Amino acid sequence: MWAVGGVLSYSLGMLGLGSGRVVDSSATSPLISSMSAAATEGMEFVAAFESEYGGLRTRPNFVAEGFMDALQRSRHAYKLLFVYLHSPEHPDTPVFCERTLCNEALAPFVNENFVVWG
C-alpha cells in the first residue's frame, strides 16, 4: 500500500499537484529508504521468478529495481513499461508464467519492445 501512495504522491508532485508543503532535508530520508525498499522488493521478485522459472528457454527480462526507477528507465529508452503483477497464491499462476509469460513468441517481443518490471 505504501508503494502505491508513494507513486501517487510522487506523480502528483511531478505534475505540480502536490500538497504544497515545504520539505526539509530531514524529511527526505524516509523517501530514500522507501525507494531502497522498493528496489529491494524488485530484486527479490526477480530472484524468486528466476529461481522458479529460470530453467525455461525464454522469459521476460525483468529489471531488478523499484517501480519509479523502471519508469525512468522506460522513459530514457523510449519504451513502454510492461508491468507484471505476480500472485504466487493464485492457482493459475504457474501455468500462466510457463505457457503465456514465458512463451517463445511473447517473451522476446516483450523484451525487445518494453522495459519489463514485476
Side-chain angles (χ1 to χ4, degrees):
M1 185 66 155
W2 62 265
V4 174
V7 170
L8 181 60
S9 176
Y10 178 82
S11 299
L12 290 174
M14 293 294 289
L15 295 172
L17 301 173
S19 63
R21 294 182 299 153
V22 175
V23 179
D24 64 5
S25 60
S26 65
T28 60
S29 59
L31 179 61
I32 292 170
S33 56
S34 293
M35 293 309 234
S36 296
T40 301
E41 288 176 359
M43 290 186 295
E44 289 172 356
F45 167 74
V46 171
F49 191 89
E50 290 292 322
S51 72
E52 184 73 26
Y53 305 103
L56 298 174
R57 209 160 64 154
T58 60
R59 62 189 175 280
N61 296 327
F62 291 101
V63 294
E65 54 197 20
F67 175 79
M68 294 308 295
D69 292 330
L71 184 60
Q72 286 290 19
R73 180 186 297 264
S74 71
R75 287 179 184 161
H76 292 303
Y78 298 103
K79 292 182 176 183
L80 294 173
L81 182 62
F82 182 96
V83 176
Y84 170 63
L85 302 178
H86 186 77
S87 175
E89 292 85 21
H90 194 282
D92 295 332
T93 295
V95 173
F96 174 78
C97 288
E98 292 168 3
R99 296 186 185 168
T100 304
L101 194 59
C102 296
N103 180 279
E104 290 184 12
L106 180 67
F109 176 79
V110 169
N111 291 336
E112 180 69 27
N113 297 292
F114 296 88
V115 170
V116 187
W117 180 82

